[in-house]
Amino acid sequence: VRHIEDVSDASIAYETGGESSVKIGLGYFRIGTRYVGDGSKDQEIYVGRIPDTFSVYLGPHIMPDGSDAEYGFVIEEMSIKDFKRKYPGKKTSQEDFADLGADMVSWRKEEQITVCEYFYTIYGKEDEYGQVEKSIKWCKLTGVEILMERDWPGRYIPIVEVVGREAIVRGRRILWGLIRPAKDSLRMNNYWMSAITEKIGLAPKIPFIGAKGQFEGVENA
């Protein structure tokens, strides 16, 4: 595990997820596999950074790390040029996406295509001990076609949630970090700093003006 963390700079992924949880109450990092080198068929596990918290949608869960979620999405916006290079022959024109109607703008913009990774759980039959076979599937898709798909070699959705402060209010999950409760005190600080700046700016550069000799004897007061 330490080797995996070392070769994938896992501390960066942890810190990114942790920083986001401190700011807004929620962050993520991910576990993945990649080829060891060009031309190699061997793969290694890595811990990946997710810089944009809002690019992840994790299914309903109770565990704070999201390990009991049964599906999850990771969204990426890609330029048309990069998409064609990575997925030659796949649909890219606006006509291909036209059938999506109003949802088209979420998947196909003027110079970008949204690509979505989708992890989901499949359950098989129960064995003689009442245990249900569970497997994880992975696919990458656009709004109009599946680009790639395969079995995921693991028992969990490989997206790890990092939670700040959490509460359940009337059945709704509420998350928050340090910024939300600090808003009022920061507004007050900004108000006083603005008032001080305004007062100093309006003050005359020579605070006391009088006739010659008027202040004799009190120069040092």
Side-chain angles (χ1 to χ4, degrees):
V1 172
R2 289 182 179 178
H3 173 73
I4 292 170
E5 291 181 321
D6 183 54
V7 297
S8 55
D9 292 325
S11 60
I12 298 175
Y14 300 153
E15 290 168 6
T16 300
E19 182 180 357
S20 183
S21 72
V22 169
K23 288 180 178 179
I24 64 174
L26 183 64
Y28 297 97
F29 62 91
R30 64 184 301 172
I31 310 298
T33 59
R34 62 189 176 192
Y35 289 103
V36 175
D38 294 338
S40 174
K41 294 183 179 180
D42 296 328
Q43 295 190 48
E44 63 181 2
I45 301 172
Y46 73 93
V47 181
R49 174 176 178 259
I50 298 181
D52 182 6
T53 299
F54 301 104
S55 69
V56 177
Y57 300 88
L58 200 57
H61 57 278
I62 296 175
M63 298 299 293
D65 60 356
S67 57
D68 55 334
E70 298 203 341
Y71 61 86
F73 303 88
V74 181
I75 308 298
E76 176 189 5
E77 288 194 349
M78 187 179 295
S79 70
I80 301 294
K81 179 180 178 181
D82 288 343
F83 183 88
K84 288 181 176 180
R85 176 178 55 82
K86 245 185 147 175
Y87 308 106
K90 299 299 183 180
K91 297 177 181 178
T92 58
S93 69
Q94 291 190 345
E95 290 77 13
D96 293 329
F97 288 78
D99 289 341
L100 296 176
D103 292 330
M104 174 180 170
V105 295
S106 300
W107 291 98
R108 173 67 164 83
K109 300 180 178 64
E110 187 173 346
E111 297 295 334
Q112 289 182 320
I113 286 181
T114 299
V115 177
C116 174
E117 288 185 74
Y118 176 33
F119 297 91
Y120 58 99
T121 305
I122 296 293
Y123 290 97
K125 297 179 180 180
E126 289 188 6
D127 61 20
E128 57 183 318
Y129 302 104
Q131 299 294 323
V132 179
E133 182 183 352
K134 173 184 174 182
S135 61
I136 305 297
K137 305 291 184 179
W138 171 89
C139 68
K140 185 173 281 193
L141 51 89
T142 63
V144 294
E145 64 182 330
I146 295 175
L147 306 174
M148 305 166 65
E149 58 182 332
R150 67 171 184 263
D151 294 334
W152 174 253
R155 297 181 59 246
Y156 305 101
I157 303 297
I159 302 169
V160 183
E161 186 174 83
V162 185
V163 178
R165 300 299 300 273
E166 178 183 27
I168 305 298
V169 180
R170 297 179 181 177
R172 182 183 177 192
R173 187 180 188 224
I174 305 296
L175 300 173
W176 71 94
L178 289 178
I179 291 178
R180 186 185 301 177
K183 282 183 177 180
D184 289 336
S185 59
L186 185 59
R187 287 190 185 105
M188 182 180 68
N189 179 76
N190 291 342
Y191 173 80
W192 285 110
M193 290 299 103
S194 297
I196 291 171
T197 302
E198 182 181 5
K199 188 170 183 179
I200 293 174
L202 294 175
K205 294 186 180 301
I206 304 175
F208 303 104
I209 301 175
K212 184 177 181 180
Q214 185 174 350
F215 304 111
E216 287 182 1
V218 292
E219 291 87 345
N220 298 322

